Amino acid sequence: MNVYEEAHNLEQAIKESEEYRQMKAAQQKMEQNPKVKQMVEDFRQKQIAVQAKQMMGEQVAQEAMQAVSDLYAVVMQDPSAAEYLQCEMRFGVMMQDVYKILGDLMSFDQ
């Protein structure tokens, strides 16, 4: 068994997964409206900025947290943006599961 070949097989399996296909279709649909695409990108930037501060152990101002929450509520009002974010979340869960399986390899207790 060639590890690299299997990694490419995993890539193909992910691309053929329902989660990936739905996410890509929702992304294409969302991107047809530049305003919605920009709104999602703005939300993403603010969300990442808050998460980065949290990961660095910094205190995040309540106003920043509220701004992200408010922007999320606005973004979710658009059906194509909401569908995309929901599909992206399902894809993310699947990928976390894959990472966990691969990460279990690093457990030397077995």
Side-chain angles (χ1 to χ4, degrees), residues 58-73:
E58 293 180 32
Q59 185 71 18
V60 178
Q62 183 61 32
E63 295 82 20
M65 297 287 284
Q66 189 61 48
V68 170
S69 180
D70 292 347
L71 188 52
Y72 179 75

Side-chain angles (χ1 to χ4, degrees), residues 1 4-5 9 15 17 19 28 33 35 37-38 43 46 48 54 61-62 68 76-77 80 83 87 92:
M1 170 182 356
Y4 296 103
E5 185 176 320
N9 289 339
K15 286 180 177 178
S17 72
E19 293 86 351
Q28 289 172 346
N33 184 335
K35 287 182 182 180
K37 180 182 177 188
Q38 185 62 51
F43 165 71
K46 286 180 175 54
I48 289 170
Q54 289 173 328
Q62 183 61 32
V68 170
M76 292 304 282
Q77 289 179 5
S80 63
E83 179 184 11
C87 289

Side-chain angles (χ1 to χ4, degrees), residues 48-97:
I48 289 170
V50 167
Q51 288 175 341
K53 284 184 178 185
Q54 289 173 328
M55 290 175 68
M56 299 288 288
E58 293 180 32
Q59 185 71 18
V60 178
Q62 183 61 32
E63 295 82 20
M65 297 287 284
Q66 189 61 48
V68 170
S69 180
D70 292 347
L71 188 52
Y72 179 75
V74 171
V75 169
M76 292 304 282
Q77 289 179 5
D78 182 273
S80 63
E83 179 184 11
Y84 170 70
L85 291 174
Q86 290 166 354
C87 289
E88 185 183 59
M89 185 176 68
R90 284 191 298 275
F91 177 75
V93 168
M94 180 191 72
M95 291 304 297
Q96 285 176 346
D97 292 344

Side-chain angles (χ1 to χ4, degrees), residues 12-25:
Q12 190 61 40
I14 289 170
K15 286 180 177 178
E16 292 173 2
S17 72
E18 193 65 26
E19 293 86 351
Y20 181 83
R21 289 196 320 253
Q22 287 177 352
M23 183 186 67
K24 292 304 283 183

